[in-house]
Amino acid sequence: MESVEDIPASAILQGLSWDWESYGEYLDAIDPLPKGINAGGYVGDVALRAYVAGDDACNDDFALNEDQLAQMANLVAGAMEDGAFGYSISRSLSHLTPDGRYVPGTWSDPAEFKAAAASLGRLGRGVLECAPRYNETDGATSRVDEELAWIADISQSLGRPFSFNLMQMQSMGDHYRRVLELVAEANAAGAQLRPQTTPRSIGVLFALGANTLIDDLPSFAPLAEMDLAGRLAAIRDPQVRADLIREGEAKPVEPFGRMFLMRPETGAVYEYEPEDSIAAQAAAKGVSPVEHYLDVLSETNGEAVVNWPVLNQDFSAIGELLDSPDTIMGLADAGAHATQIMDASQPTFFLSHWVRDRGALTIEDAVRRLTSDTADFIGFTDRGTLRTGAYADVNVVDLEGMR
């Protein structure tokens, strides 16, 4: 959670009592804690592997023995009986431990996942989720067919829905099209696959009060412990500004061509043209990207935010993903990555951009996707629809007023 999700270890260690072991005991521990929204969770393969096998689970060649696999299966079954939504798996090559190793399960034989999740089939409830390993370690070579094969097999064998993340990735071309093709084929053969996607780009955010684009410059080191007001005053100091600009000349320009400034007056903007980048704007002014960056921070009193889209940069690809009847809405990091990613606006962006501005979906279908479609996937029959006997949190939507 610390290295992948940007959640400080102190928040985790101090935020829970840690007097529990089982999933049911975990639910008991968090039940009295205050919560802003309704919440539920999955039992995680990563945590269970570390629990039954210890540090060895992080080794690339590790395989569960028969006793460990039986223990995994029993733990998943117990968690499902205690109230877990389902069983979740991590295979992404971007998921690393703090010491740089891949998290448990990344290289495991999928037969282990199938055996561990067997109770979902017996119970006839619960869903599976996965962060797939679509690529090889070079980052570009596709292994989509191999990954979709075991995902489809588990879904079909257990008779349970299986969701996994799917976005457009520049490094992998149009791999998402192959995923959608294989999903359609698998579902026609009896699987229940729902690729989970998002209506806009996923980007890393930088702000003067948090992480900045100049954290690595020597002259920024004295500013690191300052608050926003202190940092703003510092970058306005002629000597500090000159030092930062001078040191920033050594930074490569290319990354700034993929980063974009969002100003307070324009609000959050996620669809860009090449001329909108920091590099292009700096070149138009005849200054370096760092100098332009500092100028905008000063002009906006430190309120400008940099967005660096790393997934779903192509809005035409997003349109294709949303057009698929198999995809499901999700992938909104509104709690993790507190200083890096903020996806809390996903529902309103979905409605304002794709329904109101693009007309790509009807308001009725968009609301369905945000409510009953996701509720039905989890197995909630009394959520997400307006009918007698169902829970109803009714929202009045001002579609024209959304920003």
Side-chain angles (χ1 to χ4, degrees), residues 14-43:
Q14 296 171 23
L16 290 173
S17 60
W18 294 102
D19 57 356
W20 49 271
E21 286 192 43
S22 72
Y23 194 88
E25 290 169 346
Y26 163 69
L27 292 181
D28 290 340
I30 66 171
D31 187 56
L33 299 178
K35 304 168 193 67
I37 57 173
N38 293 328
Y42 293 75
V43 56

Side-chain angles (χ1 to χ4, degrees), residues 194 197 199 322-324 327-330 346-375 384-385 395 397 399 402:
R194 299 298 305 274
T197 196
L322 295 179
D323 193 49
S324 167
T327 57
I328 191 169
M329 299 300 295
Q346 186 202 80
T348 49
F349 183 85
F350 182 47
L351 294 172
S352 62
H353 183 84
W354 292 102
V355 175
R356 183 193 64 199
D357 299 340
R358 287 283 191 94
L361 298 94
T362 65
I363 183 66
E364 293 85 357
D365 188 42
V367 169
R368 177 191 66 82
R369 292 192 182 203
L370 292 171
T371 55
S372 61
D373 192 32
T374 50
T385 184
N395 290 282
V397 176
L399 196 60
M402 284 185 175

Side-chain angles (χ1 to χ4, degrees), residues 165-398:
N165 56 283
L166 180 61
M167 297 84 69
Q168 171 258 341
M169 301 166 60
Q170 287 186 338
S171 62
M172 295 194 66
D174 63 353
H175 86 290
Y176 65 92
R177 290 175 177 159
R178 178 59 177 162
V179 172
L180 292 178
E181 178 183 342
L182 292 172
V183 164
E185 293 175 1
N187 287 347
Q192 302 172 58
L193 306 188
R194 299 298 305 274
Q196 193 174 141
T197 196
T198 178
R200 60 171 172 81
S201 61
I202 295 177
V204 179
L205 304 178
F206 300 86
L208 187 58
N211 300 313
T212 78
L213 300 183
I214 51 175
D215 286 356
D216 58 330
L217 299 183
S219 294
F220 189 81
L223 285 62
E225 299 304 318
M226 294 181 181
D227 60 13
L228 175 59
R231 290 183 176 188
L232 182 60
I235 67 170
R236 285 171 170 170
D237 179 276
Q239 187 58 58
V240 174
R241 171 185 159 82
D243 290 343
L244 290 171
I245 291 173
R246 175 177 49 78
E247 294 166 359
E249 295 286 352
K251 293 175 76 72
V253 173
E254 190 275 333
F256 291 99
R258 294 178 278 113
M259 299 176 179
F260 306 87
L261 278 158
M262 297 190 290
R263 298 170 180 258
E265 62 269 23
T266 57
V269 178
Y270 298 101
E271 190 170 11
Y272 310 104
E273 299 297 334
E275 59 268 24
D276 298 326
S277 72
I278 293 176
Q281 291 180 350
K285 289 172 55 179
V287 300
S288 70
V290 168
E291 183 172 354
H292 175 61
Y293 174 57
L294 291 171
D295 287 344
V296 175
L297 288 178
S298 181
E299 293 166 8
T300 61
N301 294 316
E303 295 182 10
V305 175
V306 172
N307 184 26
W308 176 24
V310 294
L311 295 167
N312 266 8
Q313 300 99 325
D314 183 350
F315 265 63
S316 63
I318 299 174
E320 291 182 51
L321 290 166
L322 295 179
D323 193 49
S324 167
D326 295 314
T327 57
I328 191 169
M329 299 300 295
L331 291 175
D333 267 320
H337 305 286
T339 62
Q340 296 177 336
I341 297 174
M342 175 43 69
D343 288 338
S345 64
Q346 186 202 80
T348 49
F349 183 85
F350 182 47
L351 294 172
S352 62
H353 183 84
W354 292 102
V355 175
R356 183 193 64 199
D357 299 340
R358 287 283 191 94
L361 298 94
T362 65
I363 183 66
E364 293 85 357
D365 188 42
V367 169
R368 177 191 66 82
R369 292 192 182 203
L370 292 171
T371 55
S372 61
D373 192 32
T374 50
D376 290 346
F377 172 77
I378 295 294
F380 286 167
T381 58
D382 56 0
R383 300 292 196 282
T385 184
L386 293 174
R387 62 173 177 79
T388 303
Y391 288 87
D393 294 325
V394 181
N395 290 282
V396 177
V397 176
D398 178 7

Side-chain angles (χ1 to χ4, degrees), residues 108-150:
S108 297
D109 186 332
E112 294 183 356
F113 305 138
K114 188 175 182 178
S119 59
L120 277 69
R122 293 196 304 270
L123 292 170
R125 63 177 175 82
V127 300
L128 298 110
E129 287 199 351
C130 177
R133 180 155 55 90
Y134 287 128
N135 51 349
E136 300 291 358
T137 53
D138 63 6
T141 302
S142 173
R143 57 181 312 281
V144 165
D145 286 46
E146 298 94 321
E147 200 74 348
L148 264 292
W150 72 261

Side-chain angles (χ1 to χ4, degrees), residues 62 96 114 157 332:
F62 174 78
L96 304 172
K114 188 175 182 178
S157 298

